[in-house]
Amino acid sequence: MNRASTAIDNLGRSVLRNVEEMGRILLLFISVLSWMIRPPLKLRLIFKQMEFVGVKSIFVVVLTGIFTGMVMALQGYHGFRMFSAESLVGSTVALGMTRELGPVLTSLMVTARAGSAMAAELGTMRVTEQIDALSVMAANPVKHLIVPRVIAGVLMVPVLTIVADFVGILGGYFVGVPVLGINSGIFVKNITRYVDLDDIYNGLIKAAIFGLILSLIGCYKGFNTSGGAEGVGKATTEAVVLASISILISDYFLTAIMF
Amino acid sequence: MIKIVDLHKSFGKQKVLDGVNLEIEEGKTTVIIGRSGGGKSVLLKHIIRLLKPDSGHVLVDGTDITKLNDKDLNEIRKKFGVLFQGAALFDSMTVGENVAFPLKEQTKMKDSEIRKIVADRLRAVGLTGIEEKMPSELSGGMRKRVGLARAIAMHPEIVLFDEPTTGLDPIMTEAIDNLIIDTQKNFNLTSIVISHDVESIFKVGHKIAMLHEGKIVEYGTPEEIRESRNPVLVQFLSGSTEGPIKII
Amino acid sequence: MFSISSEAKVGLFVLVGLIILGYMSFRVGEYGFGLKKGYLVSAVFDNVAGLEKDASVQIAGVEVGRVEDIRLEDGKALVTMRIIPDVKLARDVTALIKTHGILGEKYVEIVPGSEWETYLEEGERITSVERQADIDRLLAQIGAIADDVKVVTTSLSNVLGGEEGEESLKSIVRNMRDMAESMNRIVEQNDEKFSTMLTSLRNASVQMEKTFSSLNEITAGINKGEGTIGRLVKDESTIDKLNKTLASLQQITDKINEGRGTFGKLIHDEETADNLNETLSGINRYVTKAEQFRTFLSYRGEYLFDTSDAKSYLELKIQPKEDKFYILGIVADPRGRRTVKDTTTGGVTTRTEEWERDKVLFNVEIAKRWKDVVLRGGLLESTGGVGIDYFAFNDRLQFTFEAFDFDTDRDPHLKAYAEYRLFKHLYLSAGWDDFLSDEGNESPFVGISVRFEDEDLKYLLTSAPIPRD
Ligand SMILES: Nc1ncnc2c1ncn2[C@@H]1O[C@H](COP(=O)(O)OP(=O)(O)OP(=O)(O)O)[C@@H](O)[C@H]1O
Ligand SMILES: [Mg+2]
C-alpha cells in the first residue's frame, strides 16, 4: 500500500518534471524567437555556428548517407528479387532517403556531433560563470549563445540533408547498377517516376524542424547545467538522448501530417 | 549608492545569507571578508542579480534590482564591472576579444579605439601583448588579471572584485592592489572587493565588512576593524584555529 | 597562411546544397512543371481498386498526365486526370486501367481514337471505358484452375484409396494373372499346332519367293505394253482421264480451302477451331496429369543359399505423386509358409503345424518418400509389416530393411539387403532373409531384378473411371 503510493507519487513527479521541462524548452524557444527578431543579429556568431554545425558535419553526414543508400540498395535488392521487381530498388532508396532516412539520420548525426557539443559548451560556460559574465556585461546570453546555434541548426540541417539524400541515392546507384546489375536507365527512371518534389521538400522541412529540436535541446540542457564537470557530462548525455528521442517521435507525427 | 536590506538566501536546507544588511558608500572601496564558504560570492551575485534573494532587497541608486525587468536590469548592469572568482573568461574568444567584449557590447566605439583601450588595460595588469592568446593558454593568475582588465575596461561606476589577488605572487599582488587603488581614485569608482589577504584588506579598503554566519557582524574603517574586540574578527585576522569560527 | 573565413565556407556549402537541390528537383519534377498547367478530363470506371491519386496517365506507354482526383459518383468511380497541354485527346479515345507488371502499380492507359476533328476540352469526359484483364482477374482464374486440379486429385485419390479403386486395382491384377495363365495354356496346348504353323510358314515363304519372281515378270510385261494393264497404261486416253480426275480433285481441295461446301465450312468455322482448341487443351491436361503418374513393373529373383532355391517377386509400383507410391506384388517363396492350427477335441487342444509350399504371398504397401528415405507399410508377404529404404548415389544404391510377420509366438521375419543398379533396368542385390528365424529359415541371398517403367499402364490407370462424390 505504502510502496504503491510512493510509486505512484514518483511517477506523478517524473511526469510533472517532464511536462515542466517541455514547458521550459518551449519558453526558451519563445525567448529565442523574440531575440531573433531583435536587431542587431550577431552575424559573425551565426556564421561561426553554421560552419560548426554545417560545414564540419559534411564528412560524417556524407559517410552516413552513402552507406545508408548502399545498404538500402543491397537489402532492397534481396527483397525485391523475390518478386522480380529489382528495378524498384532505385526508387526505394530515393524515397527512403528523401522522406525519412536523409532527414532523420542527418539530424541524428548532427545531434551526436553538434547538439552534444552545444550542450557541453554551454554547460561549461555555465559552470565556469561565463554565462553570468555575459549577463553582467549586459549581453543577453540567449541572444549571444542560443540564437546563433538555433539559426545554424535550422538552416544547416536541411542543407546537410539534401547532401545526404543525394549521396545516399548515389550510393544506392553504385551498389544497384554496377554491383547488382540493375539497368541504369530503369534505375534512374524509376527514381524520377516515383519520387515527387513534395517528397524532397517535405524531407527538408522535417530536417529544419529536427535542426530546431536538436539545437534547442542542446542549448537548453547546456544552459541549465549545474554541478561542475560532472554536470556538464550529464547535460551532454541528456541533450543527445532527449534530442534523439524527440526527433524520432516528432518524425512520426510529421510523417503522419505530411505524407 | 548600494544598499542591501535584510537579504536572505538558502540553497536547499543550507542557509547562506541570513539577513544581511550593508550600505556600500559611493566612491569608496568596501572590502568584504569572511571565512571560505561563508557566502561572500553569493552576496556579490545578489548585488548584480545573478541570484535572486529569497527575501530582502538590493537597492542600487535607489532602485530595487530584485524586482526589475530584464530591460531595466540591463541598464543597471551597464554601471557594473565584475571580476569573477574564477575569472570567467570566454574560452571561445582571444584575450583581446575578452577584454574588448564589454566595449563592443555597450559602446559604439571604433575598432581601433577599442584596440587601444584593450592594450592599455592589459598593460595595466602587466600582460602586454597577449591579445591573440586564448584563455586556455594562460596560467590561473594571468587569467585572473585578464578578468580584471575586462572588469575595468569600461571604467564602470561600480566594480565588484571577487578575490582579485588570490593566486598571485607578492609582487603581483602589490601591483594589483595599487591598480585597484589608482583606478578607484582616478575615476572615483565605487568598488567592492572580496579578499582573504589581510594586508590587502587594510591597504585597499575604505570600509571593511565581516560576513559571518549569514550576517554582517562587523563593519567599519580599517582602524575600527583593527581595534575591534569582536572575537570573530580577532580570530579571522590572527588566523587562529581557536575561536568562534569553526573548522569542521 | 591562407585561410577561408567561416562565411565563405558556409556560403560555399549552402551553394552546393542549393545546386544539388535544384538538380534533384529538376530531375524529379520533369513532369511536375508542365503538368500544373495541364487541362482536366475525367472518366467513369466501374472499379478503380488500386489506382492512386497522382497515378500515371499514359498513351502508348508515354506519360501524358497524372490522376488528379478519384471520387465516387453514383456508385462508380469518377477519375479526374490532368493532361499535359500539348497532348490532344480525340473525342473517341478509350480509357482503361492497367497494371505495371505483376505487382506494379495501377495506371490509366488512354487508347487514341480516330476522330481527329475535335478534341476533348477542359472538364470533358472520356465516354469509352474498358475493362482490362488485369492481375486480379488473372488471379481469380488461377484460383478456379487450382480448384479444378483439386477435384481431379481428390477423385484420383478416391480411385486409388477408396473401396471402388481397390476393387478395380484388384480386378486389373486378376485380369493380368488370368491373361498370363491363358497365354501359358494356349502355348502349352498348341505346342503341336505351333510347330505345324512354323512349317507352313516356312512353306509359305518358299511360295512367296516364287510369287515375287512371277510378279517381276508381269511388271516387265506391263512396261512393254503387254496384257490389259500394260495396254491401259500405255493408252493416251487413259492418261487423259486420269488428268481430268486429278483436276477435279484439285477443285475440291480448293473449295475446301476457300471455306465452301460443308467440309470447307467445318474447317474454316471459328467455332470449330475453338472446339478443336479446347479438345486439344483437354488432351493436354490429361497428358500432364498422366505425366506425374508413373508406374513401374519389376521382377526380382533371390537365390537363397541355405535352401538352394529361388524366391520370386513380381511387383507393380504405382506412383501418383513424386513422393508417394503404392506397391502391389506377388511373392513365391519356395520355403512356403507355416500355418498353425489349433483344434480342440474333447478338451484337448492339439496344435497342428502345416507347411504350405507353392502358396502365393501378397505384397500390398503404401509408401512415402522424404529425400533419400522411403518408409512403407502394409501387407508384406501376406502379413502386416513395415519397411524402410535408404537411397544413395543418386538412387543407384539402395539399402532396405523390412520387418513383418509379427506373430506372438515367433520371432518376426526380418530382412535386410542392398541393391545396386547395374544398368538401366538391371539391378543386383545381396542380403539376409529372415535372419532372426527360429525355424531355420534364415538365409543369405543374392538377387537379380529387372524393373522398367510402363508407359501404357499409366494411361490405362489414369483413364480408369473417376468416381465422383
Ligand atoms: N549555486 C549554488 N547552489 C548551491 N549552493 C551554492 C551555490 N553557490 C554557492 N553555494 C553554497 O553557498 C555557500 C557559500 O558559497 P560562496 O561561493 O559564496 O562562498 P565564499 O564565501 O565565496 O567562499 P570562498 O572564499 O571560498 O570563495 C557554499 O557553501 C556553497 O556551497
Ligand atoms: Mg567566493
Side-chain angles (χ1 to χ4, degrees), chain A residues 44 47 50-51 54-55 58 83 156 159-160 162 165-166 188-189 192-197 200-201 204, chain C residues 6-7 9-10 13-14 17 20-21 23-25 27-31 33 54 56 58 66 100 103 105:
Chain A
R44 222 178 57 81
F47 273 109
M50 281 166 90
E51 185 192 359
V55 179
I58 294 176
F83 310 104
M156 285 295 107
V159 183
L160 286 168
I162 193 74
D165 288 354
F166 186 66
V188 174
K189 173 75 198 155
T192 52
R193 253 184 75 98
Y194 290 101
V195 180
D196 276 337
L197 279 179
I200 298 174
Y201 292 150
L204 296 185
Chain C
S6 311
E7 284 86 343
K9 282 185 204 162
V10 171
F13 176 50
V14 171
I20 294 176
L21 178 65
Y23 172 74
M24 281 171 63
S25 305
R27 290 303 299 269
V28 163
E30 269 169 340
Y31 299 106
F33 293 134
D54 266 348
S56 178
Q58 305 187 346
R66 293 277 175 96
H100 279 296
L103 289 167
E105 92 283 28

Short mmCIF file of all heavy atoms in Angstrom, two decimals, chain A residues 44 47 50-51 54-55 58 83 156 159-160 162 165-166 188-189 192-197 200-201 204, chain C residues 6-7 9-10 13-14 17 20-21 23-25 27-31 33 54 56 58 66 100 103 105:
data_model
loop_
_atom_site.label_atom_id
_atom_site.label_comp_id
_atom_site.label_asym_id
_atom_site.label_seq_id
_atom_site.Cartn_x
_atom_site.Cartn_y
_atom_site.Cartn_z
N ARG A 44 28.34 37.28 -37.18
CA ARG A 44 29.60 36.56 -37.11
C ARG A 44 29.43 35.27 -36.29
O ARG A 44 29.95 34.23 -36.65
CB ARG A 44 30.69 37.44 -36.49
CG ARG A 44 32.02 37.33 -37.20
CD ARG A 44 33.03 38.25 -36.57
NE ARG A 44 33.16 37.97 -35.14
CZ ARG A 44 33.92 36.96 -34.66
NH1 ARG A 44 34.58 36.20 -35.49
NH2 ARG A 44 33.98 36.74 -33.38
N PHE A 47 27.46 32.75 -38.37
CA PHE A 47 28.29 32.06 -39.37
C PHE A 47 29.24 31.05 -38.74
O PHE A 47 29.47 29.97 -39.26
CB PHE A 47 29.07 33.08 -40.22
CG PHE A 47 28.26 33.57 -41.39
CD1 PHE A 47 27.77 34.85 -41.43
CD2 PHE A 47 27.99 32.70 -42.44
CE1 PHE A 47 27.02 35.28 -42.51
CE2 PHE A 47 27.24 33.13 -43.52
CZ PHE A 47 26.74 34.43 -43.55
N MET A 50 27.20 28.16 -37.98
CA MET A 50 26.83 27.47 -39.21
C MET A 50 28.00 26.65 -39.72
O MET A 50 27.83 25.53 -40.21
CB MET A 50 26.37 28.46 -40.27
CG MET A 50 24.94 28.93 -40.07
SD MET A 50 24.55 30.36 -41.06
CE MET A 50 23.97 29.59 -42.54
N GLU A 51 29.18 27.21 -39.59
CA GLU A 51 30.35 26.45 -40.02
C GLU A 51 30.49 25.21 -39.16
O GLU A 51 30.72 24.10 -39.66
CB GLU A 51 31.61 27.31 -39.91
CG GLU A 51 32.83 26.59 -40.45
CD GLU A 51 34.12 27.30 -40.10
OE1 GLU A 51 34.07 28.38 -39.46
OE2 GLU A 51 35.19 26.78 -40.46
N GLY A 54 27.22 22.94 -39.81
CA GLY A 54 27.06 22.51 -41.20
C GLY A 54 28.33 21.98 -41.82
O GLY A 54 28.48 20.78 -42.03
N VAL A 55 29.26 22.91 -42.08
CA VAL A 55 30.45 22.55 -42.85
C VAL A 55 31.21 21.40 -42.19
O VAL A 55 31.62 20.46 -42.84
CB VAL A 55 31.36 23.78 -43.04
CG1 VAL A 55 32.59 23.41 -43.81
CG2 VAL A 55 30.60 24.88 -43.75
N ILE A 58 29.86 17.79 -42.66
CA ILE A 58 29.71 17.22 -44.01
C ILE A 58 30.25 15.80 -44.06
O ILE A 58 29.60 14.88 -44.57
CB ILE A 58 30.42 18.11 -45.07
CG1 ILE A 58 29.73 19.45 -45.16
CG2 ILE A 58 30.39 17.43 -46.43
CD1 ILE A 58 30.41 20.42 -46.09
N PHE A 83 10.21 -10.84 -55.99
CA PHE A 83 9.06 -10.54 -56.84
C PHE A 83 9.50 -10.08 -58.21
O PHE A 83 8.74 -9.48 -58.94
CB PHE A 83 8.22 -9.43 -56.19
CG PHE A 83 7.90 -9.70 -54.76
CD1 PHE A 83 8.58 -9.04 -53.76
CD2 PHE A 83 6.95 -10.64 -54.43
CE1 PHE A 83 8.29 -9.30 -52.44
CE2 PHE A 83 6.68 -10.90 -53.12
CZ PHE A 83 7.34 -10.23 -52.12
N MET A 156 21.22 24.70 -41.34
CA MET A 156 22.24 23.79 -41.83
C MET A 156 21.76 22.35 -41.95
O MET A 156 22.17 21.63 -42.85
CB MET A 156 23.48 23.85 -40.93
CG MET A 156 24.29 25.09 -41.13
SD MET A 156 25.00 25.18 -42.78
CE MET A 156 24.00 26.45 -43.51
N VAL A 159 20.37 21.66 -45.32
CA VAL A 159 21.40 21.64 -46.36
C VAL A 159 22.17 20.32 -46.28
O VAL A 159 22.44 19.66 -47.30
CB VAL A 159 22.36 22.84 -46.23
CG1 VAL A 159 23.36 22.83 -47.36
CG2 VAL A 159 21.58 24.14 -46.25
N LEU A 160 22.50 19.91 -45.05
CA LEU A 160 23.18 18.62 -44.89
C LEU A 160 22.28 17.49 -45.39
O LEU A 160 22.74 16.53 -45.98
CB LEU A 160 23.52 18.40 -43.42
CG LEU A 160 24.67 19.24 -42.87
CD1 LEU A 160 24.71 19.13 -41.36
CD2 LEU A 160 25.99 18.76 -43.46
N ILE A 162 19.99 17.54 -47.75
CA ILE A 162 19.94 17.41 -49.21
C ILE A 162 21.21 16.74 -49.71
O ILE A 162 21.18 15.92 -50.64
CB ILE A 162 19.68 18.79 -49.89
CG1 ILE A 162 19.32 18.59 -51.36
CG2 ILE A 162 20.84 19.72 -49.80
CD1 ILE A 162 17.96 18.06 -51.58
N ASP A 165 20.73 13.07 -48.89
CA ASP A 165 19.80 12.47 -49.86
C ASP A 165 20.56 12.12 -51.13
O ASP A 165 20.46 11.01 -51.66
CB ASP A 165 18.70 13.48 -50.23
CG ASP A 165 17.70 13.68 -49.10
OD1 ASP A 165 17.81 12.96 -48.09
OD2 ASP A 165 16.84 14.57 -49.22
N PHE A 166 21.31 13.11 -51.60
CA PHE A 166 21.96 12.95 -52.88
C PHE A 166 23.01 11.85 -52.84
O PHE A 166 23.00 10.94 -53.68
CB PHE A 166 22.59 14.29 -53.28
CG PHE A 166 23.18 14.29 -54.65
CD1 PHE A 166 22.37 14.16 -55.76
CD2 PHE A 166 24.55 14.42 -54.83
CE1 PHE A 166 22.91 14.17 -57.04
CE2 PHE A 166 25.09 14.42 -56.10
CZ PHE A 166 24.27 14.30 -57.20
N VAL A 188 17.34 4.94 -62.75
CA VAL A 188 17.14 6.38 -62.68
C VAL A 188 15.69 6.73 -63.02
O VAL A 188 15.05 7.55 -62.36
CB VAL A 188 18.10 7.11 -63.63
CG1 VAL A 188 17.80 8.59 -63.66
CG2 VAL A 188 19.53 6.86 -63.20
N LYS A 189 15.16 6.06 -64.04
CA LYS A 189 13.80 6.35 -64.50
C LYS A 189 12.80 6.13 -63.35
O LYS A 189 11.91 6.94 -63.12
CB LYS A 189 13.48 5.43 -65.67
CG LYS A 189 12.04 5.49 -66.14
CD LYS A 189 11.74 6.75 -66.91
CE LYS A 189 10.25 6.97 -66.97
NZ LYS A 189 9.85 8.32 -67.14
N THR A 192 12.88 8.97 -60.82
CA THR A 192 12.16 10.18 -61.22
C THR A 192 10.66 9.91 -61.31
O THR A 192 9.85 10.81 -61.12
CB THR A 192 12.67 10.70 -62.58
OG1 THR A 192 12.63 9.62 -63.52
CG2 THR A 192 14.08 11.19 -62.47
N ARG A 193 10.29 8.69 -61.57
CA ARG A 193 8.86 8.33 -61.64
C ARG A 193 8.18 8.42 -60.29
O ARG A 193 7.08 8.91 -60.16
CB ARG A 193 8.74 6.89 -62.10
CG ARG A 193 8.25 6.70 -63.49
CD ARG A 193 8.10 5.22 -63.69
NE ARG A 193 6.91 4.79 -62.99
CZ ARG A 193 5.76 4.61 -63.59
NH1 ARG A 193 5.67 4.82 -64.87
NH2 ARG A 193 4.71 4.21 -62.91
N TYR A 194 8.85 7.83 -59.29
CA TYR A 194 8.17 7.65 -58.01
C TYR A 194 8.45 8.75 -57.00
O TYR A 194 7.73 8.90 -56.03
CB TYR A 194 8.53 6.30 -57.40
CG TYR A 194 7.94 5.14 -58.15
CD1 TYR A 194 8.69 4.39 -59.04
CD2 TYR A 194 6.61 4.81 -57.98
CE1 TYR A 194 8.14 3.34 -59.75
CE2 TYR A 194 6.05 3.77 -58.68
CZ TYR A 194 6.81 3.04 -59.56
OH TYR A 194 6.26 2.01 -60.25
N VAL A 195 9.54 9.46 -57.18
CA VAL A 195 9.86 10.50 -56.20
C VAL A 195 9.25 11.81 -56.67
O VAL A 195 9.38 12.18 -57.83
CB VAL A 195 11.38 10.64 -56.05
CG1 VAL A 195 11.69 11.73 -55.03
CG2 VAL A 195 11.98 9.33 -55.60
N ASP A 196 8.56 12.48 -55.78
CA ASP A 196 7.95 13.76 -56.11
C ASP A 196 8.75 14.88 -55.50
O ASP A 196 9.50 14.69 -54.56
CB ASP A 196 6.52 13.81 -55.55
CG ASP A 196 5.54 13.15 -56.48
OD1 ASP A 196 5.86 13.07 -57.68
OD2 ASP A 196 4.47 12.74 -56.01
N LEU A 197 8.52 16.05 -56.03
CA LEU A 197 9.13 17.24 -55.43
C LEU A 197 8.75 17.33 -53.97
O LEU A 197 9.56 17.67 -53.12
CB LEU A 197 8.64 18.49 -56.16
CG LEU A 197 9.34 18.84 -57.47
CD1 LEU A 197 8.72 20.08 -58.07
CD2 LEU A 197 10.81 19.07 -57.20
N ILE A 200 10.91 15.47 -51.53
CA ILE A 200 12.17 16.15 -51.20
C ILE A 200 11.90 17.33 -50.26
O ILE A 200 12.53 17.46 -49.22
CB ILE A 200 12.86 16.63 -52.48
CG1 ILE A 200 13.20 15.42 -53.36
CG2 ILE A 200 14.11 17.42 -52.15
CD1 ILE A 200 13.77 15.80 -54.71
N TYR A 201 10.93 18.16 -50.64
CA TYR A 201 10.69 19.37 -49.85
C TYR A 201 10.20 19.04 -48.44
O TYR A 201 10.63 19.65 -47.47
CB TYR A 201 9.72 20.29 -50.57
CG TYR A 201 10.31 20.88 -51.82
CD1 TYR A 201 9.55 21.21 -52.92
CD2 TYR A 201 11.69 21.09 -51.90
CE1 TYR A 201 10.11 21.74 -54.07
CE2 TYR A 201 12.26 21.61 -53.04
CZ TYR A 201 11.48 21.93 -54.13
OH TYR A 201 12.04 22.45 -55.24
N LEU A 204 12.96 18.11 -46.36
CA LEU A 204 13.78 19.24 -45.93
C LEU A 204 13.09 20.03 -44.82
O LEU A 204 13.75 20.54 -43.91
CB LEU A 204 14.09 20.15 -47.12
CG LEU A 204 14.95 19.49 -48.20
CD1 LEU A 204 15.32 20.50 -49.27
CD2 LEU A 204 16.20 18.88 -47.60
N SER C 6 34.77 31.65 -42.10
CA SER C 6 33.57 30.85 -41.86
C SER C 6 32.51 31.21 -42.87
O SER C 6 31.83 30.35 -43.43
CB SER C 6 33.01 31.13 -40.48
OG SER C 6 34.00 31.07 -39.52
N GLU C 7 32.38 32.52 -43.12
CA GLU C 7 31.33 32.97 -44.01
C GLU C 7 31.49 32.34 -45.39
O GLU C 7 30.52 31.86 -45.98
CB GLU C 7 31.37 34.50 -44.14
CG GLU C 7 30.81 35.24 -42.95
CD GLU C 7 31.83 35.46 -41.83
OE1 GLU C 7 32.87 34.76 -41.84
OE2 GLU C 7 31.58 36.32 -40.97
N LYS C 9 33.11 29.59 -46.20
CA LYS C 9 32.86 28.13 -46.16
C LYS C 9 31.37 27.85 -46.13
O LYS C 9 30.87 27.01 -46.88
CB LYS C 9 33.50 27.54 -44.90
CG LYS C 9 35.00 27.34 -45.00
CD LYS C 9 35.48 26.63 -43.75
CE LYS C 9 36.95 26.91 -43.49
NZ LYS C 9 37.32 26.58 -42.12
N VAL C 10 30.67 28.56 -45.24
CA VAL C 10 29.23 28.33 -45.12
C VAL C 10 28.54 28.67 -46.43
O VAL C 10 27.70 27.92 -46.93
CB VAL C 10 28.65 29.16 -43.97
CG1 VAL C 10 27.13 29.11 -43.98
CG2 VAL C 10 29.18 28.65 -42.64
N PHE C 13 29.14 26.00 -48.98
CA PHE C 13 28.40 24.78 -48.64
C PHE C 13 26.92 24.93 -49.00
O PHE C 13 26.32 24.05 -49.62
CB PHE C 13 28.57 24.51 -47.15
CG PHE C 13 27.77 23.35 -46.65
CD1 PHE C 13 27.81 22.12 -47.29
CD2 PHE C 13 26.98 23.48 -45.52
CE1 PHE C 13 27.08 21.05 -46.82
CE2 PHE C 13 26.24 22.42 -45.05
CZ PHE C 13 26.29 21.20 -45.71
N VAL C 14 26.35 26.09 -48.62
CA VAL C 14 24.93 26.31 -48.93
C VAL C 14 24.72 26.32 -50.43
O VAL C 14 23.75 25.77 -50.95
CB VAL C 14 24.44 27.64 -48.29
CG1 VAL C 14 23.05 27.98 -48.78
CG2 VAL C 14 24.47 27.52 -46.78
N GLY C 17 24.65 22.84 -51.65
CA GLY C 17 23.37 22.25 -51.27
C GLY C 17 22.26 22.70 -52.20
O GLY C 17 21.46 21.90 -52.67
N ILE C 20 22.54 21.01 -55.59
CA ILE C 20 22.04 19.63 -55.54
C ILE C 20 20.51 19.63 -55.48
O ILE C 20 19.86 18.88 -56.21
CB ILE C 20 22.62 18.90 -54.32
CG1 ILE C 20 24.13 18.73 -54.45
CG2 ILE C 20 21.96 17.53 -54.17
CD1 ILE C 20 24.78 18.11 -53.25
N LEU C 21 19.98 20.51 -54.65
CA LEU C 21 18.51 20.57 -54.52
C LEU C 21 17.88 20.93 -55.86
O LEU C 21 16.90 20.31 -56.30
CB LEU C 21 18.13 21.61 -53.46
CG LEU C 21 16.63 21.81 -53.26
CD1 LEU C 21 16.00 20.54 -52.73
CD2 LEU C 21 16.36 22.97 -52.33
N TYR C 23 19.14 20.47 -58.84
CA TYR C 23 19.30 19.35 -59.77
C TYR C 23 18.26 18.27 -59.50
O TYR C 23 17.57 17.80 -60.40
CB TYR C 23 20.71 18.78 -59.65
CG TYR C 23 20.91 17.51 -60.42
CD1 TYR C 23 21.04 17.53 -61.82
CD2 TYR C 23 20.98 16.28 -59.77
CE1 TYR C 23 21.21 16.37 -62.53
CE2 TYR C 23 21.15 15.11 -60.48
CZ TYR C 23 21.27 15.17 -61.87
OH TYR C 23 21.44 14.01 -62.56
N MET C 24 18.13 17.90 -58.22
CA MET C 24 17.19 16.84 -57.87
C MET C 24 15.76 17.26 -58.19
O MET C 24 14.98 16.48 -58.72
CB MET C 24 17.34 16.46 -56.39
CG MET C 24 18.53 15.55 -56.16
SD MET C 24 18.90 15.27 -54.42
CE MET C 24 17.46 14.44 -53.87
N SER C 25 15.43 18.50 -57.86
CA SER C 25 14.07 18.98 -58.13
C SER C 25 13.79 18.93 -59.62
O SER C 25 12.73 18.54 -60.06
CB SER C 25 13.90 20.41 -57.64
OG SER C 25 14.24 20.49 -56.29
N ARG C 27 15.19 16.99 -61.90
CA ARG C 27 15.04 15.62 -62.39
C ARG C 27 13.69 15.03 -62.00
O ARG C 27 13.00 14.41 -62.79
CB ARG C 27 16.15 14.72 -61.84
CG ARG C 27 17.52 15.01 -62.39
CD ARG C 27 17.56 14.92 -63.91
NE ARG C 27 17.22 13.59 -64.39
CZ ARG C 27 18.11 12.63 -64.61
NH1 ARG C 27 19.39 12.88 -64.43
NH2 ARG C 27 17.73 11.44 -65.05
N VAL C 28 13.35 15.25 -60.73
CA VAL C 28 12.13 14.63 -60.20
C VAL C 28 10.90 15.34 -60.73
O VAL C 28 9.88 14.73 -60.99
CB VAL C 28 12.18 14.69 -58.67
CG1 VAL C 28 10.83 14.47 -58.08
CG2 VAL C 28 13.16 13.65 -58.16
N GLY C 29 11.04 16.65 -60.93
CA GLY C 29 9.86 17.43 -61.28
C GLY C 29 9.65 17.56 -62.77
O GLY C 29 8.93 18.41 -63.21
N GLU C 30 10.30 16.70 -63.55
CA GLU C 30 10.21 16.80 -65.01
C GLU C 30 8.77 16.95 -65.50
O GLU C 30 8.48 17.75 -66.37
CB GLU C 30 10.85 15.58 -65.66
CG GLU C 30 12.30 15.80 -65.96
CD GLU C 30 12.99 14.53 -66.36
OE1 GLU C 30 12.47 13.43 -66.05
OE2 GLU C 30 14.04 14.60 -66.97
N TYR C 31 7.92 16.12 -64.94
CA TYR C 31 6.53 16.20 -65.36
C TYR C 31 5.79 17.29 -64.59
O TYR C 31 4.87 17.86 -65.07
CB TYR C 31 5.84 14.86 -65.15
CG TYR C 31 6.50 13.80 -65.97
CD1 TYR C 31 7.31 12.84 -65.38
CD2 TYR C 31 6.33 13.78 -67.34
CE1 TYR C 31 7.92 11.88 -66.14
CE2 TYR C 31 6.95 12.82 -68.11
CZ TYR C 31 7.75 11.86 -67.52
OH TYR C 31 8.36 10.93 -68.26
N PHE C 33 6.40 20.29 -63.75
CA PHE C 33 6.32 21.68 -64.20
C PHE C 33 5.22 21.86 -65.25
O PHE C 33 4.34 22.68 -65.07
CB PHE C 33 7.66 22.13 -64.76
CG PHE C 33 8.72 22.21 -63.71
CD1 PHE C 33 9.98 21.68 -63.93
CD2 PHE C 33 8.45 22.78 -62.48
CE1 PHE C 33 10.96 21.75 -62.96
CE2 PHE C 33 9.41 22.85 -61.50
CZ PHE C 33 10.68 22.31 -61.74
N ASP C 54 -2.41 10.82 -58.28
CA ASP C 54 -1.08 11.03 -58.83
C ASP C 54 -0.56 9.86 -59.65
O ASP C 54 0.58 9.86 -60.07
CB ASP C 54 -0.05 11.34 -57.72
CG ASP C 54 0.12 12.83 -57.54
OD1 ASP C 54 -0.37 13.56 -58.41
OD2 ASP C 54 0.74 13.24 -56.56
N SER C 56 -0.03 7.54 -62.89
CA SER C 56 0.34 7.98 -64.22
C SER C 56 -0.81 7.80 -65.21
O SER C 56 -1.62 6.89 -65.08
CB SER C 56 1.54 7.14 -64.64
OG SER C 56 1.93 7.45 -65.91
N GLN C 58 -1.13 7.35 -69.29
CA GLN C 58 -0.21 7.11 -70.38
C GLN C 58 -0.93 6.86 -71.70
O GLN C 58 -2.04 6.37 -71.74
CB GLN C 58 0.66 5.88 -70.07
CG GLN C 58 1.38 6.00 -68.74
CD GLN C 58 2.36 4.88 -68.52
OE1 GLN C 58 2.33 3.87 -69.23
NE2 GLN C 58 3.22 5.02 -67.54
N ARG C 66 -1.35 12.93 -65.05
CA ARG C 66 -1.46 12.28 -63.76
C ARG C 66 -2.92 12.29 -63.31
O ARG C 66 -3.70 13.15 -63.72
CB ARG C 66 -0.63 13.03 -62.70
CG ARG C 66 0.86 12.97 -62.91
CD ARG C 66 1.44 11.69 -62.35
NE ARG C 66 2.85 11.54 -62.62
CZ ARG C 66 3.83 11.88 -61.78
NH1 ARG C 66 3.53 12.41 -60.61
NH2 ARG C 66 5.08 11.67 -62.08
N HIS C 100 1.27 -2.10 -64.08
CA HIS C 100 2.66 -2.32 -64.48
C HIS C 100 3.12 -3.65 -63.94
O HIS C 100 3.24 -3.82 -62.73
CB HIS C 100 3.57 -1.25 -63.87
CG HIS C 100 3.56 0.03 -64.63
ND1 HIS C 100 4.01 0.14 -65.91
CD2 HIS C 100 3.13 1.27 -64.28
CE1 HIS C 100 3.87 1.38 -66.31
NE2 HIS C 100 3.34 2.09 -65.35
N LEU C 103 3.25 -6.91 -59.96
CA LEU C 103 2.99 -6.22 -58.69
C LEU C 103 3.02 -4.71 -58.85
O LEU C 103 2.91 -3.98 -57.89
CB LEU C 103 4.03 -6.64 -57.66
CG LEU C 103 3.87 -8.07 -57.18
CD1 LEU C 103 5.10 -8.50 -56.42
CD2 LEU C 103 2.64 -8.21 -56.33
N GLU C 105 2.17 -0.76 -59.95
CA GLU C 105 1.01 -0.01 -59.55
C GLU C 105 0.09 0.20 -60.74
O GLU C 105 0.45 -0.02 -61.89
CB GLU C 105 1.43 1.29 -58.87
CG GLU C 105 1.55 2.48 -59.76
CD GLU C 105 2.82 2.45 -60.60
OE1 GLU C 105 3.34 1.36 -60.89
OE2 GLU C 105 3.29 3.52 -60.97
#
